[in-house]
Amino acid sequence: MKRFLARQVAQLMVGLFGAALFAVALSAVTEPRPRSLPAYLLAVLDRLTHLSHGDLGHSAISGLPVVAELFQHLPPTLLLLAAGAAVALAAGLPIGILFAFGSLRRAAAPIMQIVTATPVFCAGLALAFGASEILHWPVGLASRTGLAASPEEALRLAALPIATVGLAGAAAVQLALRRAATRTAAASFRGGLKRLGLSSVEIEAFYVLPQIFAGLIASAGEIALALVSAAVVAEWVFHRDGAADLFVKSVALADWNMTAVILFAVAALTIVASFLGRVLGFLLVREQMP
Amino acid sequence: MSRNTPVLGNVLRGVGWFGLALLLITMFLSDFLAHAPAGAEFPGIELSAPSEVHPFGTDMLGRDVLSETLHGLAETGRLAMWAAFFAIVLGGLFGAVAARLPRPLALALRGLFGILGAIPPLLLAIVIVGLTGHFFVAVAAGIGAAPLGFVRAFDRVDLHSPHADYAIATGIPGLSLLQRDLTYDFRHVLGAVVARALAAVTIIVSTASFLGFGAEPPARDLGLIIAAAKINHFTAWWTAIFPGLALILFILCARLAAGLEEGESA
């Protein structure tokens, strides 16, 4: 157990350090761009020196320090990710568990292929169309919508991006669940437990389900990747002011300082989610999940 | 191999390859099948609903949506095939080779690609397009998808198999062994690997285009066509739905052809 934890912590530290180096290397591509490798390496060194003094640079668009800009835009995105994750679990868990067992698992495979073949932006536009035409909600895709007049309207405006992110997350959750279920379907402990006299229900409830949930938790990094990708698209489609939307604008306007900081935040989120998922999954079943 | 019943799995894979073949033929013949050349505008019939003359209707500039969808499908397919090539070479193939390199170098590469794999492929592709330009969107999508393919291929290599010891004991040169290993690794799964890569990169390419980091006019792929239809798809649904369905069909066929295992993403 100690060895496993030490290895995970080492992986976490190396991952975060590598992501920070990648971000520094990206932020050194400023305008005017360094024309040669030595010039670029000098720019990287300069960035590292500034970083050691706690200076992460300024945004080329707003002129504000990138950290201040990030803290201004990050909360709406984190809120969107958290709400999306809640929807993903609420929708993905029942679907995943329902399709995780026996014949339903085999029958569901082709259906899930069709669902997961839909790009997130197509799903977002379809949701917007449904909300506008069927529910008659005020959906603004052409331009930025102003402040909501009432809490009810604010909820409606927030619902579509959350649903888009949540659906993408739900697809990732049910994939992780079904993968774990497939792994346990052939597990050798089933036969042994049956010979010990346990019923099928007892085996599923007390031995298989914890394995499946541990598999889901261990896939936290993969689910975080799906949620972040979907948040980028959802914020763009529904004109939400968040870090993901800021990322797209920063790349388009070659604001590499800002891009690098957001990219580091995203990578750190995924790396930490992977770490926590692997550790919690291990603690749940006392074995390392693949 | 899918864990569906073998018959159903084979049928689904066959349907996927048949669909991909039909779509590829459609892409190659897009100039011949389309009513109008790419980008041709017909003033006076902007946003007209589907009719006999324009089966998929027209868009806000009076372009025939059927023709634009066919041209867009061809452009998406062209970009996706290049991107899949880069994803396979830099991901799966390089991962399988890297696992057989001297251990410290192999582990360093595994760590580097593991870190890149913590960044969503779409974001990585967008950054590369931002650095290199729209012309390189296919390369960017391939590189974006490569880290996950690299990690998967690297982790699948079993260096502790007794076969490895026997092979080394025969004294065959390392490069010949590598060639033999790669042939064994890819011989039976090459089709599935190509289809899997196509499914993954098509989503990245079209989403990058939708966000403005992909194809540039006058060449319009399906992502860009859907992005242009976004502002009026509530009133003129046909401008977005047909290109959207074509895109989903292409990705679905690639996924089915890949024969993804249960719970496996492309």
Side-chain angles (χ1 to χ4, degrees):
Chain A
M1 163 117 180
K2 275 182 186 167
R3 186 183 283 182
F4 172 80
L5 280 178
R7 206 169 56 232
Q8 295 306 318
V9 170
Q11 272 185 17
L12 172 73
M13 302 315 285
V14 169
L16 289 176
F17 180 71
L21 268 186
F22 181 74
V24 168
L26 182 63
S27 71
V29 190
T30 44
E31 299 291 345
R33 292 188 185 183
R35 293 281 173 201
S36 62
L37 185 63
Y40 175 68
L41 291 177
L42 276 177
V44 171
L45 207 64
D46 182 53
R47 292 281 154 186
L48 283 171
T49 313
H50 279 89
L51 191 64
S52 66
H53 292 109
D55 175 17
L56 275 71
H58 289 70
S59 162
I61 303 170
S62 65
L64 291 170
V66 284
V67 178
E69 189 93 0
L70 182 68
F71 282 145
Q72 191 185 332
H73 285 82
L74 203 53
T77 303
L78 288 179
L79 210 61
L80 176 62
L81 287 173
V87 172
L89 288 175
L93 274 178
I95 294 172
I97 290 173
L98 186 69
F99 290 164
F101 297 103
S103 55
L104 261 179
R105 190 178 75 222
R106 287 187 288 275
I111 300 166
M112 296 320 294
Q113 292 278 20
I114 296 170
V115 173
T116 47
T118 307
V120 175
F121 69 91
C122 289
L125 289 180
L127 280 175
F129 184 79
S132 169
E133 298 301 304
I134 299 166
L135 302 173
H136 305 293
W137 284 10
V139 183
L141 295 181
S143 60
R144 232 157 255 282
T145 42
L147 286 173
S150 63
E152 192 189 350
E153 198 184 326
L155 201 64
R156 282 177 178 174
L157 285 173
L160 289 176
I162 290 172
T164 306
V165 175
L167 284 179
V173 166
Q174 67 83 27
L175 273 177
L177 273 176
R178 289 174 57 227
R179 189 167 53 232
T182 308
R183 227 173 11 243
T184 55
S188 54
F189 65 78
R190 283 173 179 270
L193 291 172
K194 255 193 182 152
R195 280 194 291 277
L196 283 173
L198 269 71
S199 69
S200 296
V201 175
E202 284 171 321
I203 295 171
E204 297 291 344
F206 297 114
Y207 294 93
V208 176
L209 263 184
Q211 289 275 344
I212 292 177
F213 278 114
L216 171 67
I217 294 167
S219 304
E222 191 185 312
I223 295 166
L225 269 181
L227 289 171
V228 171
S229 285
V232 173
V233 178
E235 286 192 357
W236 185 255
V237 169
F238 297 105
H239 296 288
R240 309 291 294 180
D241 271 324
D245 182 57
L246 181 65
F247 172 82
V248 175
K249 287 178 189 155
S250 301
V251 178
L253 299 172
D255 185 353
W256 298 115
N257 266 343
M258 198 68 244
T259 305
V261 170
I262 298 173
L263 217 53
F264 174 72
V266 167
L269 182 77
T270 314
I271 290 168
V272 170
S274 288
F275 166 76
L276 290 176
R278 281 197 300 266
V279 171
L280 290 176
F282 179 84
L283 291 177
L284 192 62
V285 291
R286 295 283 162 177
E287 70 175 85
Q288 188 178 352
M289 303 307 290
Chain B
M1 182 81 184
S2 170
R3 281 178 194 263
N4 299 318
T5 57
V7 176
L8 180 60
N10 287 335
V11 167
L12 288 176
R13 255 201 314 283
V15 168
W17 280 115
F18 182 69
L20 267 186
L22 278 183
L23 286 171
L24 278 176
I25 292 169
T26 309
M27 287 172 199
F28 282 120
L29 298 178
S30 62
D31 287 337
F32 176 72
L33 294 171
H35 292 185
E41 297 172 13
F42 300 96
I45 53 162
E46 291 86 357
L47 293 179
S48 52
S51 63
E52 249 179 63
V53 185
H54 300 288
F56 287 5
T58 61
D59 68 6
M60 62 190 301
L61 294 178
R63 290 173 294 206
D64 179 52
V65 175
L66 172 60
S67 304
E68 290 301 301
T69 301
L70 286 169
H71 293 306
L73 183 64
E75 183 64 11
T76 298
R78 189 182 68 80
L79 291 173
M81 278 189 262
W82 275 112
F85 170 76
F86 287 111
I88 292 167
V89 171
L90 297 173
L93 195 59
F94 188 39
V97 172
R100 293 167 170 92
L101 291 174
R103 213 56 195 150
L105 180 59
L107 288 177
L109 283 169
R110 171 67 176 77
L112 175 69
F113 276 83
I115 290 164
L116 289 177
I119 301 169
L122 173 66
L123 270 57
L124 201 53
I126 286 175
V127 167
I128 295 168
V129 171
L131 287 170
T132 58
H134 290 247
F135 181 75
F136 293 100
V137 61
V139 184
I143 295 174
L148 297 175
F150 178 96
V151 170
R152 193 198 305 247
F154 188 102
D155 292 347
R156 275 195 181 168
V157 174
D158 180 13
L159 290 175
H160 303 294
S161 128
H163 296 295
D165 296 331
Y166 296 147
I168 291 165
T170 58
I172 298 169
L175 269 179
S176 302
L177 276 181
L178 178 66
Q179 191 183 356
R180 190 209 65 160
D181 282 356
L182 291 180
T183 308
Y184 274 99
D185 281 356
F186 283 91
R187 190 174 52 176
H188 297 299
V189 293
L190 188 62
V193 168
V194 171
R196 179 202 293 265
L198 261 183
V201 298
T202 304
I203 292 181
I204 299 173
V205 164
S206 57
T207 309
S209 281
F210 179 79
L211 297 174
F213 293 94
E216 272 191 309
R220 299 202 310 156
D221 71 346
L222 292 172
L224 195 57
I225 292 173
I226 296 168
K230 182 183 139 187
I231 51 170
N232 47 28
H233 88 288
F234 290 150
T235 48
W237 53 266
W238 54 89
T239 55
I241 201 160
F242 293 117
L245 286 177
L247 180 61
I248 292 169
L249 187 66
F250 184 54
I251 298 166
L252 176 64
C253 287
R255 288 182 65 90
L256 290 177
L260 296 176
E261 288 181 28
E262 276 186 72
E264 197 178 12
S265 66

Short mmCIF file of all heavy atoms in Angstrom, two decimals, chain B residues 85-95 113 139 142-143 146-147 149-150:
data_model
loop_
_atom_site.label_atom_id
_atom_site.label_comp_id
_atom_site.label_asym_id
_atom_site.label_seq_id
_atom_site.Cartn_x
_atom_site.Cartn_y
_atom_site.Cartn_z
N PHE B 85 -3.41 9.37 -40.32
CA PHE B 85 -2.06 8.90 -40.65
C PHE B 85 -1.06 9.39 -39.59
O PHE B 85 -0.26 8.61 -39.05
CB PHE B 85 -1.66 9.41 -42.05
CG PHE B 85 -0.22 9.19 -42.39
CD1 PHE B 85 0.23 7.92 -42.76
CD2 PHE B 85 0.70 10.23 -42.34
CE1 PHE B 85 1.56 7.71 -43.07
CE2 PHE B 85 2.03 10.02 -42.65
CZ PHE B 85 2.47 8.76 -43.01
N PHE B 86 -1.12 10.68 -39.28
CA PHE B 86 -0.18 11.24 -38.28
C PHE B 86 -0.45 10.64 -36.89
O PHE B 86 0.50 10.38 -36.13
CB PHE B 86 -0.28 12.76 -38.23
CG PHE B 86 0.34 13.42 -39.43
CD1 PHE B 86 -0.44 14.06 -40.38
CD2 PHE B 86 1.71 13.38 -39.63
CE1 PHE B 86 0.13 14.65 -41.50
CE2 PHE B 86 2.29 13.96 -40.75
CZ PHE B 86 1.50 14.60 -41.69
N ALA B 87 -1.72 10.45 -36.56
CA ALA B 87 -2.06 9.89 -35.24
C ALA B 87 -1.52 8.47 -35.10
O ALA B 87 -0.99 8.09 -34.05
CB ALA B 87 -3.58 9.89 -35.04
N ILE B 88 -1.61 7.68 -36.18
CA ILE B 88 -1.14 6.28 -36.12
C ILE B 88 0.39 6.24 -36.04
O ILE B 88 0.96 5.50 -35.22
CB ILE B 88 -1.64 5.49 -37.35
CG1 ILE B 88 -3.16 5.32 -37.27
CG2 ILE B 88 -0.98 4.12 -37.44
CD1 ILE B 88 -3.79 4.84 -38.55
N VAL B 89 1.05 7.06 -36.87
CA VAL B 89 2.52 7.02 -36.90
C VAL B 89 3.09 7.56 -35.58
O VAL B 89 3.96 6.92 -34.96
CB VAL B 89 3.06 7.82 -38.10
CG1 VAL B 89 4.57 7.96 -38.01
CG2 VAL B 89 2.67 7.14 -39.41
N LEU B 90 2.59 8.73 -35.15
CA LEU B 90 3.15 9.35 -33.94
C LEU B 90 2.59 8.74 -32.66
O LEU B 90 3.18 8.88 -31.60
CB LEU B 90 2.85 10.86 -33.93
CG LEU B 90 3.48 11.66 -35.06
CD1 LEU B 90 2.99 13.10 -35.05
CD2 LEU B 90 4.99 11.63 -34.96
N GLY B 91 1.43 8.08 -32.77
CA GLY B 91 0.81 7.50 -31.58
C GLY B 91 1.11 6.02 -31.47
O GLY B 91 2.08 5.61 -30.83
N GLY B 92 0.28 5.20 -32.14
CA GLY B 92 0.38 3.74 -32.01
C GLY B 92 1.73 3.18 -32.41
O GLY B 92 2.36 2.42 -31.66
N LEU B 93 2.20 3.57 -33.61
CA LEU B 93 3.45 3.00 -34.12
C LEU B 93 4.65 3.44 -33.27
O LEU B 93 5.48 2.62 -32.86
CB LEU B 93 3.64 3.44 -35.57
CG LEU B 93 4.68 2.68 -36.38
CD1 LEU B 93 4.35 1.19 -36.45
CD2 LEU B 93 4.79 3.24 -37.79
N PHE B 94 4.73 4.75 -32.99
CA PHE B 94 5.84 5.26 -32.19
C PHE B 94 5.79 4.68 -30.77
O PHE B 94 6.84 4.38 -30.19
CB PHE B 94 5.80 6.79 -32.17
CG PHE B 94 7.00 7.42 -31.52
CD1 PHE B 94 8.26 6.91 -31.73
CD2 PHE B 94 6.86 8.54 -30.71
CE1 PHE B 94 9.37 7.49 -31.13
CE2 PHE B 94 7.96 9.12 -30.11
CZ PHE B 94 9.22 8.59 -30.32
N GLY B 95 4.59 4.51 -30.23
CA GLY B 95 4.45 3.94 -28.89
C GLY B 95 4.97 2.51 -28.84
O GLY B 95 5.69 2.13 -27.91
N PHE B 113 4.76 11.65 -23.03
CA PHE B 113 3.46 11.47 -23.69
C PHE B 113 2.33 11.37 -22.66
O PHE B 113 1.19 11.75 -22.95
CB PHE B 113 3.50 10.24 -24.61
CG PHE B 113 4.06 10.55 -25.96
CD1 PHE B 113 5.42 10.57 -26.18
CD2 PHE B 113 3.23 10.86 -27.03
CE1 PHE B 113 5.96 10.87 -27.42
CE2 PHE B 113 3.75 11.17 -28.27
CZ PHE B 113 5.12 11.17 -28.47
N VAL B 139 -2.34 17.84 -39.35
CA VAL B 139 -1.18 17.44 -38.54
C VAL B 139 -1.49 17.69 -37.07
O VAL B 139 -1.21 16.85 -36.20
CB VAL B 139 0.07 18.26 -38.96
CG1 VAL B 139 1.29 17.78 -38.18
CG2 VAL B 139 0.32 18.14 -40.44
N GLY B 142 -3.80 15.13 -35.68
CA GLY B 142 -3.06 13.88 -35.51
C GLY B 142 -2.18 13.91 -34.28
O GLY B 142 -2.17 12.96 -33.48
N ILE B 143 -1.47 15.04 -34.09
CA ILE B 143 -0.61 15.16 -32.91
C ILE B 143 -1.46 15.22 -31.64
O ILE B 143 -1.09 14.65 -30.61
CB ILE B 143 0.29 16.42 -33.03
CG1 ILE B 143 1.26 16.26 -34.21
CG2 ILE B 143 1.08 16.66 -31.74
CD1 ILE B 143 2.10 17.49 -34.49
N ALA B 146 -2.39 11.77 -30.79
CA ALA B 146 -1.27 10.82 -30.68
C ALA B 146 -0.93 10.40 -29.24
O ALA B 146 -0.67 9.21 -29.01
CB ALA B 146 -0.03 11.39 -31.37
N PRO B 147 -0.89 11.34 -28.25
CA PRO B 147 -0.45 10.91 -26.91
C PRO B 147 -1.24 9.74 -26.33
O PRO B 147 -0.66 8.80 -25.77
CB PRO B 147 -0.64 12.17 -26.05
CG PRO B 147 -0.50 13.29 -27.01
CD PRO B 147 -1.10 12.79 -28.29
N GLY B 149 -2.90 7.44 -28.00
CA GLY B 149 -2.56 6.25 -28.77
C GLY B 149 -1.18 5.73 -28.39
O GLY B 149 -0.97 4.52 -28.30
N PHE B 150 -0.25 6.65 -28.15
CA PHE B 150 1.11 6.27 -27.75
C PHE B 150 1.08 5.50 -26.43
O PHE B 150 1.65 4.42 -26.32
CB PHE B 150 1.96 7.55 -27.60
CG PHE B 150 3.37 7.29 -27.15
CD1 PHE B 150 4.41 7.22 -28.06
CD2 PHE B 150 3.67 7.12 -25.81
CE1 PHE B 150 5.71 6.98 -27.66
CE2 PHE B 150 4.97 6.88 -25.38
CZ PHE B 150 5.99 6.81 -26.31
#
